[in-house]
Amino acid sequence: MAGNQVKTKNPSQKQKSGGGGGGKKKEVKKETGLGLTNKKAENFGEWYSEVVVNSEMIEYYDISGCYILRPWAMSIWESMQAFFDPEIKKLKIKNCYFPLFVSPGVLEKEKEHVEGFAPEVAWVTKSGKTDLDVPIAIRPTSETVMYPYFSKWIRGHRDLPLKLNQWCNVVRWEFSNPTPFIRSREFLWQEGHTAFATKEEADKEVLDILELYRRIYEEYLAIPVIKGKKSELEKFAGGLYTTSVEAFIPNTGRGIQGATSHCLGQNFSKMFDIEFEDENREKAKVWQNSWAYSTRTIGVMVMVHGDDKGLVLPPKVASIQVIVIPVPYKDADTQGILDACSATVNTLVEAGIRAESDLRDNYSPGWKYSHWEMKGVPLRIEIGPKDLANQQVRAVRRDNGAKIDIKSVDSVEEIKKLLGNIQQNLLEVAKQKRDECIQVIHTWDEFVQALGQKKMILAPWCDEEEVEVDVKARTKGETGAAKTLCSPFEQPELPEGTKCFASGKPAKKWSYWGRSY
């Protein structure tokens, strides 16, 4: 990642947020009470690095590019998993697990695929102090791990379709700028691998899965995405075609590939001899797909929604949707306020709302406000003497800071409504910001100007690989080269006679272009 890259700090520079409640009050306030030292609009990379640490999402590890995912981050991953896993099971996809290690003979069997991953493959070469006779690779992805066994398990048409998914980690070693969630040497993901008798079945599943990925981003993470097809240059190595959901980070002017669903065609089935006997007892190669999304999704969420106070979490993925904070003044009925806080939490939890109270007495209410704002909790409930007397609570939204007084008897209904409004507002605001960055262009000069303005560019294209290579070469610089992000499935009208912006040849489609992560 060049240009607006996200630089991570040295582990010795990390800051603690004091979320555990231990330690001296003064020391903790000094470290976290003033919030972030970098602003999102001024120094995006340092801002991002601060947010993911101070919000207690990650901790730095002593191996570069590896990060500890703390519970605040893992709970978001689990929320997405809780949605996605039942959905793929509706499609009769079954979970499995394959080993982490890959023999070099198998890995190198599919030449084009291996070349695409070769720089990223990590190898085990020793056992203790003894050199291994044959080095063992650590999976960067699992096509070559799984497909020798597909060949063993698939014999006849009754063995199809074979639909497997695994939740696992992968290791990709080669990169210059490690970034929490966005680019790390080890990350969590799911990877689906399926085999069909016909291309039609494979084509349908590619889009079914892509729609689930859209739903993860838009319905859960409140991030607008564009569904489309990758260019031949950008498709998955060894695949037939690749579809993706593409997000955009307005602050950096960079696109980011959110998740991919690939049709592998028969490339791998030919290489690994995965064939079946059809109803006519004739041999045929299977059609295959692979698809995945990873913990990169969490990084995209931080980048899109976060602000100068820290994280902003969509309610659907927040492990704590509502934090209840007592605000006792001098001579107030402190115990009564604490009891009201506990009762409010119990009422909300019984109604299915993820709520907790912060009753720690060694922090001021103001410090607690900043702490939970840093962690991005969608809704804060304050209860003070006035609220106690009026049998109400004060709700403060994390997304826009709006304050609303709610009668205690109406708290469940009103808070559910507020959480729904926050979820929807986050998506609408993100979409508005994204759309303001989309620039439709027709000429090379317009393209260069829009690229300099950090736009997501929609341009007519002749769909020729050498033209894309030329665009990359002509735009290469310190901030990285421009490339195609995807050709959207929802194509605007392309008037007859429209020319490609880069070559002047007849345009065949509209494509999104820009710099990317």
Side-chain angles (χ1 to χ4, degrees):
M1 226 183 322
N4 288 294
Q5 61 197 26
V6 178
K7 296 180 180 177
T8 60
K9 298 178 181 177
N10 184 288
S12 65
Q13 296 175 311
K14 61 185 179 287
Q15 299 178 8
K16 297 179 182 178
S17 73
K24 296 180 180 179
K25 181 177 179 183
K26 184 177 180 181
E27 180 183 349
V28 176
K29 276 194 166 186
K30 180 179 179 182
E31 289 186 341
T32 66
L34 298 178
L36 303 175
T37 59
N38 290 280
K39 294 188 180 299
K40 186 177 185 180
E42 295 174 3
N43 192 336
F44 186 85
E46 290 298 323
W47 168 85
Y48 178 82
S49 183
E50 270 197 287
V51 168
V52 295
V53 174
N54 290 8
S55 65
E56 300 176 339
M57 297 190 83
I58 66 109
E59 184 64 271
Y60 288 102
Y61 196 57
D62 62 359
I63 297 174
S64 175
C66 296
Y67 308 95
I68 299 166
L69 300 188
R70 300 183 67 180
W72 204 244
M74 277 302 296
S75 64
I76 297 170
W77 182 243
E78 289 169 343
S79 294
M80 292 185 283
Q81 187 176 24
F83 159 72
F84 190 76
D85 201 64
E87 289 296 325
I88 61 174
K89 284 174 179 171
K90 291 177 186 177
L91 300 175
K92 303 191 184 306
I93 295 161
K94 295 180 171 59
N95 283 326
C96 63
Y97 186 80
F98 278 73
L100 176 68
F101 303 110
V102 195
S103 66
V106 171
L107 185 66
E108 294 165 5
K109 195 168 184 179
E110 212 295 316
K111 186 173 181 293
E112 184 182 353
H113 175 71
V114 171
E115 286 178 352
F117 282 100
E120 300 177 338
V121 176
W123 294 87
V124 178
T125 59
K126 287 179 177 289
S127 172
K129 295 183 178 180
T130 305
D131 290 339
L132 297 181
D133 292 335
V134 179
I136 297 171
I138 301 176
R139 63 176 171 223
T141 179
S142 296
E143 281 76 9
T144 56
V145 178
M146 300 171 78
Y147 296 167
Y149 299 92
F150 277 38
S151 176
K152 180 179 179 180
W153 299 335
I154 296 171
R155 287 288 179 263
H157 63 89
R158 293 181 182 84
D159 298 323
L160 294 172
L162 178 60
K163 301 181 179 183
L164 300 179
N165 174 72
Q166 64 174 358
W167 296 91
C168 65
N169 63 341
V170 291
V171 173
R172 297 181 182 176
W173 206 259
E174 180 61 31
F175 53 81
S176 57
N177 292 297
T179 305
F181 301 116
I182 301 299
R183 182 172 284 111
S184 55
R185 286 190 163 140
E186 178 191 5
F187 56 87
L188 302 179
W189 74 351
Q190 59 72 217
E191 52 176 322
H193 296 270
T194 53
F196 300 90
T198 66
K199 182 175 184 294
E200 288 73 22
E201 292 174 281
D203 288 339
K204 181 180 184 305
E205 188 202 58
V206 165
L207 297 182
D208 287 344
I209 295 297
L210 195 69
E211 173 61 12
L212 293 181
Y213 291 153
R214 182 202 65 79
R215 290 183 62 191
I216 285 174
Y217 273 95
E218 296 193 345
E219 295 179 15
Y220 284 78
L221 300 175
I223 296 169
V225 291
I226 295 165
K227 295 199 295 185
K229 186 177 179 181
K230 288 288 191 181
S231 68
E232 286 296 300
L233 195 63
E234 294 294 328
K235 74 177 184 180
F236 182 64
L240 180 61
Y241 65 86
T242 291
T243 67
S244 68
V245 288
E246 300 286 332
F248 188 74
I249 312 300
N251 289 78
T252 63
R254 291 181 181 272
I256 187 162
Q257 181 176 283
T260 49
S261 184
H262 316 284
C263 180
L264 304 180
Q266 295 178 309
N267 297 344
F268 286 90
S269 63
K270 290 173 182 175
M271 190 62 60
F272 289 92
D273 197 27
I274 309 172
E275 63 181 16
F276 67 102
E277 191 176 77
D278 65 18
E279 292 91 335
N280 300 319
R281 295 193 174 182
E282 293 180 358
K283 294 286 188 180
K285 300 296 183 186
V286 300
W287 292 83
Q288 290 177 264
N289 293 337
S290 69
W291 28 271
Y293 79 95
S294 74
T295 39
R296 164 177 277 213
T297 50
I298 300 174
V300 180
M301 179 204 71
V302 176
M303 289 180 168
V304 169
H305 298 309
D307 61 20
D308 290 342
K309 292 181 179 179
L311 279 182
V312 179
L313 294 178
K316 280 193 175 182
V317 297
S319 60
I320 299 176
Q321 296 172 313
V322 179
I323 187 70
V324 180
I325 297 176
V327 190
Y329 300 145
K330 188 178 179 181
D331 300 327
D333 179 5
T334 301
Q335 190 57 49
I337 291 172
L338 295 178
D339 291 344
C341 288
S342 298
T344 299
V345 169
N346 291 338
T347 299
L348 296 177
V349 169
E350 287 174 6
I353 297 168
R354 297 187 290 277
E356 291 187 12
S357 58
D358 187 345
L359 306 181
R360 294 175 292 176
D361 60 7
N362 58 327
Y363 296 105
S364 69
W367 185 92
K368 293 178 186 179
Y369 297 167
S370 297
H371 175 70
W372 293 106
E373 283 174 345
M374 176 71 73
K375 291 174 73 68
V377 172
L379 197 64
R380 180 175 80 238
I381 296 293
E382 304 169 6
I383 300 179
K386 180 181 176 182
D387 303 302
L388 192 65
N390 294 336
Q391 296 184 326
Q392 68 180 29
V393 299
R394 169 159 287 190
V396 183
R397 291 174 55 153
R398 177 64 181 88
D399 61 331
N400 61 16
K403 298 179 179 180
I404 308 101
D405 290 331
I406 300 170
K407 288 295 182 183
S408 298
V409 293
D410 301 325
S411 61
V412 168
E413 182 181 345
E414 292 300 316
I415 287 171
K416 281 186 174 181
K417 190 184 300 181
L418 274 175
L419 292 172
N421 289 342
I422 292 169
Q423 183 80 29
Q424 185 62 32
N425 184 59
L426 285 173
L427 177 61
E428 289 174 358
V429 169
K431 187 175 186 302
Q432 180 182 351
K433 289 180 179 178
R434 192 275 313 270
D435 290 350
E436 288 172 354
C437 292
I438 295 176
Q439 183 76 46
V440 180
I441 64 97
H442 292 84
T443 67
W444 177 256
D445 287 344
E446 291 175 343
F447 179 83
V448 172
Q449 184 180 25
L451 194 64
Q453 295 171 345
K454 298 182 178 181
K455 299 293 187 180
M456 186 181 193
I457 302 165
L458 183 60
W461 181 38
C462 59
D463 196 19
E464 294 184 10
E465 188 171 318
E466 59 268 25
V467 174
E468 184 173 5
V469 171
D470 183 58
V471 170
K472 279 189 172 184
R474 293 166 71 183
T475 57
K476 189 174 182 180
E478 290 185 1
T479 54
K483 63 179 183 180
T484 55
L485 304 175
C486 74
S487 294
F489 292 141
E490 293 185 6
Q491 284 278 314
E493 183 183 355
L494 189 67
E496 188 175 346
T498 302
K499 302 294 185 183
C500 171
F501 77 99
S503 67
K505 297 178 181 179
K508 295 181 180 178
K509 61 170 70 171
W510 289 93
S511 285
Y512 282 101
W513 296 71
R515 295 190 172 97
S516 71
Y517 285 103

